[in-house]
């Protein structure tokens, strides 16, 4: 399973890249706004900086909601770097735009996916990635992870190539469950990624090893 970081924060992207386990980055308009990035030029410049940090796939989301504008925006974004993936919302014009970029050989990420039916449409339109939003489904009291399971089953039965990108990930359990249920990619905040490191027995075990080493060193003196 690939690991993407879900942020537009350059320091966090660099930190994840330095860990040596980063396969890409996802952003969205809210994440860009959180970093105080606005205006077309600044947004484009920011994507350029992200693409300079990581060679992995970087999802850049279009703001337009009609086909012609999505294509125009997406083509401009694709010019920024070879590793840009055009992120397109799951709406009718979005499906047309996904098919357009498929025919041009430009990679896409179909975002805001909340049902298996939407995931079938994204695959039919040739999306490179489909992004089911796990956390937001959990937020309304449904079982987000079941959607990953269902899409994985359908894609396997139908032989679709679209990769399942588990998004809206809130914690380490989501990451592990996404892996179990057949996600090809998980995109998560840095703290969720780092939470996988944590286990009290690791901390206690290391403290004991270091203490024993210190004791033995003193005994030799
Ligand atoms: C990533 O592609 C999505 O935009 C993101 O994971 C959404 O996460 P959120 O539900 O925490 O905003």
């Amino acid at each position: 399973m690939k690991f993407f970081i879900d942020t537009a924060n350059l320091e966090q992207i660099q930190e994840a890249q330095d860990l040596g386990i980063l396969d890409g980055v996802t952003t969205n308009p809210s994440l860009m706004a959180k970093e105080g990035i606005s205006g077309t030029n600044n947004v484009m410049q920011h994507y350029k900086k992200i693409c300079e940090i990581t060679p992995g796939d970087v999802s850049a989301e279009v703001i337009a909601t009609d086909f012609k504008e999505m294509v125009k925006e997406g083509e401009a974004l694709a010019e920024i770097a070879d590793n840009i993936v055009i992120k397109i919302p799951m709406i009718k014009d979005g499906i047309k735009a996904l098919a357009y970029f498929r025919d041009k050989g430009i990679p896409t990420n179909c975002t805001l996916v909340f049902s298996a039916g939407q995931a079938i449409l994204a695959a039919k339109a040739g999306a490179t990635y489909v992004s089911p939003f796990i956390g937001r489904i959990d937020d309304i009291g449904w079982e987000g992870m079941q959607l990953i399971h269902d899409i994985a089953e359908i894609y396997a039965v139908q032989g679709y190539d679209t990769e399942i990108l588990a998004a809206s990930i809130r914690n380490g359990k989501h990451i592990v469950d996404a892996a179990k249920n057949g996600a090809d990619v998980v995109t998560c905040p840095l703290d969720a990624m780092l939470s996988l490191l944590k286990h009290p027995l690791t901390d206690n075990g290391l403290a004991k090893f270091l203490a024993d080493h210190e004791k033995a060193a003193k005994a030799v003196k």
Side-chain angles (χ1 to χ4, degrees), residues 48-161:
K48 194 163 184 292
K49 286 181 193 164
I50 295 175
C51 292
E52 283 164 2
I53 295 174
T54 178
D57 284 352
V58 174
S59 287
E61 188 159 342
V62 297
I63 307 298
T65 52
D66 73 284
F67 173 69
K68 271 193 182 157
E69 283 302 310
M70 277 186 201
V71 164
K72 203 168 133 198
E73 233 186 281
E75 284 180 336
L77 289 167
E79 287 291 308
I80 296 173
D82 288 345
N83 52 334
I84 286 280
V85 172
I86 311 303
K87 203 169 174 199
I88 295 173
M90 170 42 74
I91 55 177
K92 201 169 171 188
D93 280 33
I95 295 298
K96 281 168 73 176
L98 289 168
Y100 173 90
F101 286 117
R102 172 199 62 206
D103 294 345
K104 292 263 166 190
I106 294 174
T108 53
N109 173 357
C110 181
T111 190
L112 290 166
V113 167
F114 294 92
S115 74
Q118 291 178 325
I120 291 172
L121 283 178
K124 285 294 293 173
T128 314
Y129 298 106
V130 65
S131 288
F133 276 33
I134 302 315
R136 292 192 195 187
I137 296 176
D138 287 355
D139 289 346
I140 59 159
W142 291 30
E143 184 51 61
M145 213 46 73
Q146 183 62 43
L147 181 57
I148 298 292
H149 187 88
D150 291 347
I151 298 172
E153 187 177 347
I154 292 166
Y155 280 15
V157 168
Q158 297 297 328
Y160 292 139
D161 292 335

Side-chain angles (χ1 to χ4, degrees), residues 4-7 25-31 59 61 87 109-112 114 131-137 139 165-170 187-189:
F4 289 180
I5 188 167
D6 197 23
T7 185
V25 178
T26 52
T27 62
N28 61 38
S30 304
L31 292 171
S59 287
E61 188 159 342
K87 203 169 174 199
N109 173 357
C110 181
T111 190
L112 290 166
F114 294 92
S131 288
F133 276 33
I134 302 315
R136 292 192 195 187
I137 296 176
D139 289 346
L165 195 171
S168 188
I169 292 288
R170 304 277 160 78
T187 190
C188 58

